[in-house]
Amino acid sequence: MKEFKIQLTCSFGLEAVVKREAEKLGFESLSVSDGYVEFTGDLKDMAKANIGLRAADKVLLVIGRFQAVTFEQLFDQTYELPWTDIIPKDANFIITGKSFKSTLSSVPACQSIVEKAVIKKLQTKYAISRFPKTGTEYTIQAALLKNTVTITLNTSGHSLHKRGYRHGQVIAPLKETMAAALIELSYWRKDRIFLDPCCGSGTIPIEAAMIGRNIAPGIMRKFAAEGWEFVPSDIWKEARKEAYAAIDYDTPLRIYSSDINRHAIEISKVNAENAGVDDCIEFECVPFNKLKLKGDYGVCIANPPYAERMGDLADVERLYRDMGNLFRQNDTWSAYFITSHEGFEKLYGRRADKKRKLFNGNVKTDYYQYFGKRPPKNS
Ligand SMILES: C[S@@+](CC[C@H](N)C(=O)[O-])C[C@H]1O[C@@H](n2cnc3c(N)ncnc32)[C@H](O)[C@@H]1O
């Protein structure tokens, strides 16, 4: 099967997480750049990456990469790419673009040149002047970075955070990809208790349950490349079959999910049902200061309100103090919090053991990590 360069895009700060996930899926020789990870693989790998990656945003096929500082260079080198093997006559091809620190800085102008080059090349095969664009969508992206142009095809379609289970949501939900990354950055393993005491629509505990059960995040959604002529349909069937066979229904999970808001708990329950993990999460409507921890050596991961996005500042700050108090008294627990509130550590009453800058959408946040005592071996 023909090989491509496959690009896995992600939020800034999550490249190492995506690389680790890709290695676990068996992909090799991965290179890491700001906002993406790349490797060489075939279309089966592309399908496997779409279905199996938890923290990546999109899986792109790199169709070409070249230098261009003039529109002529952009046109000629785009024209040379194998569009006639990829794009059928009725395809609804859409050109997107971005440009950073490049001589060709006008994104609309670059998009228009790329589209002209693609059309001119397709006309060598189809001999029509106007393409109907009534068929399947093919999104071509021209990304310019320091005069290097990377032309890709978006095989995922909608971003991979759209797993398909979240129908209801609260204000300021976390993207599913970010929730999975927070868990993968923690010391949680499926034999330890998991808690999200500010669960909102349940994204973090649902992602934990899917990780615990080894349910591939993309198992129930569709991808843009599923409708493409040059991608054999059996690769998707095969990748899904493998993903279903890998599900672990046997290991018991102890995942607790609570929130002060009853409506949030109702939404979480429905979302967990949609994801097929409602049987391994216990939901409770309880304010944090009334919460009882259910055992030792647990891991708490929370996305509490930041006040900037929701919640009254005084309440939010009281909540952070309560969090510090509870986990100081329960030192076998590890606790992780994502927030943009710069006074978090002061309110919590302890400097984090580790801190990591992450972007939650456009909001600059820190991921504060407090490590509890290690669980005894064989516990
Ligand atoms: C940023 S949202 C969490 C979003 C969630 N991660 C998601 O993806 O939907 C913060 C949540 O904290 C809850 N919350 C606020 N104060 C709380 C408190 N004192 N105790 C428990 N939950 C609280 C809110 O009801 C809200 O659902």
Side-chain angles (χ1 to χ4, degrees):
M1 197 177 254
K2 188 175 177 291
E3 296 219 308
F4 293 85
K5 200 160 257 316
I6 297 177
Q7 187 176 103
L8 316 170
T9 67
C10 61
S11 289
F12 288 112
L14 297 186
E15 296 86 350
V17 176
V18 171
K19 180 173 184 248
R20 227 179 303 143
E21 286 186 6
E23 281 166 348
K24 265 175 95 181
L25 290 178
F27 308 142
E28 291 172 353
S29 304
L30 295 132
S31 67
V32 176
S33 305
D34 283 348
Y36 66 85
V37 173
E38 281 187 355
F39 70 101
T40 301
D42 60 20
L43 293 173
K44 283 186 190 165
D45 295 327
M46 177 274 293
K48 200 169 166 184
N50 268 306
I51 291 172
L53 289 171
R54 298 183 192 278
D57 285 335
K58 280 181 183 156
V59 177
L60 311 178
L61 288 184
V62 178
I63 307 302
R65 180 170 280 151
F66 49 82
Q67 297 292 309
V69 289
T70 66
F71 287 128
E72 198 180 7
Q73 288 168 345
L74 178 62
F75 182 94
D76 290 348
Q77 293 179 92
T78 303
Y79 179 86
E80 286 309 317
L81 300 175
W83 299 114
T84 48
D85 300 339
I86 295 173
I87 310 271
K89 194 175 179 178
D90 67 344
N92 178 17
F93 52 94
I94 294 166
I95 319 288
T96 64
K98 56 184 180 181
S99 177
F100 188 65
K101 291 190 178 169
S102 296
T103 310
L104 299 178
S105 57
S106 163
V107 174
C110 291
Q111 282 171 242
S112 159
I113 294 292
V114 167
E115 178 156 31
K116 281 186 183 136
V118 172
I119 288 175
K120 190 155 185 220
K121 183 65 170 280
L122 291 178
Q123 283 170 335
T124 63
K125 181 174 178 184
Y126 302 120
I128 49 173
S129 56
R130 265 186 166 272
F131 284 85
K133 293 198 172 185
T134 49
T136 311
E137 204 169 287
Y138 289 71
T139 303
I140 300 166
Q141 186 188 69
L144 284 82
L145 174 66
K146 296 183 185 163
N147 298 327
T148 298
V149 184
T150 304
I151 305 277
T152 57
L153 266 181
N154 171 10
T155 71
S156 305
H158 293 301
S159 166
L160 298 179
H161 79 271
K162 292 192 185 275
R163 317 283 205 222
Y165 65 72
R166 197 163 73 181
H167 295 307
Q169 60 186 42
V170 298
I171 309 169
L174 208 55
K175 276 190 183 170
E176 294 82 339
T177 41
M178 179 58 80
L182 297 183
I183 299 161
E184 290 179 321
L185 285 167
S186 80
Y187 284 128
W188 183 68
R189 300 291 171 268
K190 57 183 163 188
D191 57 344
R192 294 182 74 169
I193 296 174
F194 185 94
L195 165 71
D196 178 356
C198 298
C199 70
S201 46
T203 321
I204 305 177
I206 291 169
E207 289 295 320
M210 290 177 78
I211 291 171
R213 283 238 166 122
N214 203 26
I215 299 175
I219 209 161
M220 58 186 172
R221 61 161 272 175
K222 290 275 177 204
F223 303 94
E226 287 191 65
W228 294 355
E229 277 180 18
F230 78 100
V231 178
S233 59
D234 57 342
I235 65 166
W236 297 99
K237 266 192 216 138
E238 198 52 42
R240 285 204 175 84
K241 206 166 123 192
E242 266 177 41
Y244 275 110
I247 296 177
D248 169 10
Y249 291 107
D250 303 325
T251 308
L253 298 175
R254 290 170 297 166
I255 299 180
Y256 299 94
S257 179
S258 55
D259 199 285
I260 196 170
N261 180 335
R262 188 163 300 282
H263 181 58
I265 294 297
E266 294 313 315
I267 290 173
S268 294
K269 284 183 181 168
V270 174
N271 289 341
E273 240 172 75
N274 294 339
V277 292
D278 51 316
D279 59 326
C280 50
I281 306 178
E282 270 189 35
F283 293 99
E284 190 184 4
C285 179
V286 60
F288 185 86
N289 62 2
K290 298 270 187 304
L291 187 71
K292 299 261 177 298
L293 298 178
K294 314 268 191 312
D296 294 326
Y297 301 103
V299 174
C300 165
I301 301 184
N303 163 219
Y306 310 163
E308 127 183 356
R309 298 180 86 181
M310 65 183 301
D312 175 80
L313 187 59
D315 290 344
V316 167
E317 295 191 339
R318 196 171 313 115
L319 173 63
Y320 293 177
R321 280 194 201 92
D322 290 343
M323 287 172 157
N325 288 335
L326 182 69
F327 291 110
R328 248 190 313 283
Q329 289 160 29
N330 291 275
D331 63 359
T332 64
W333 276 71
S334 292
Y336 301 76
F337 306 94
I338 181 170
T339 175
S340 64
H341 192 312
E342 290 180 357
F344 180 81
E345 286 169 299
K346 205 158 172 228
L347 294 157
Y348 191 83
R350 196 181 130 196
R351 270 181 83 99
D353 295 310
K354 204 167 166 189
K355 218 162 107 172
R356 196 182 180 107
K357 292 230 166 301
L358 292 174
F359 279 91
N360 180 11
N362 292 329
V363 182
K364 213 166 120 215
T365 62
D366 278 292
Y367 189 37
Y368 296 93
Q369 306 170 43
Y370 296 91
F371 306 138
K373 288 184 179 157
R374 279 168 187 262
K377 289 220 163 80
N378 306 322
S379 74

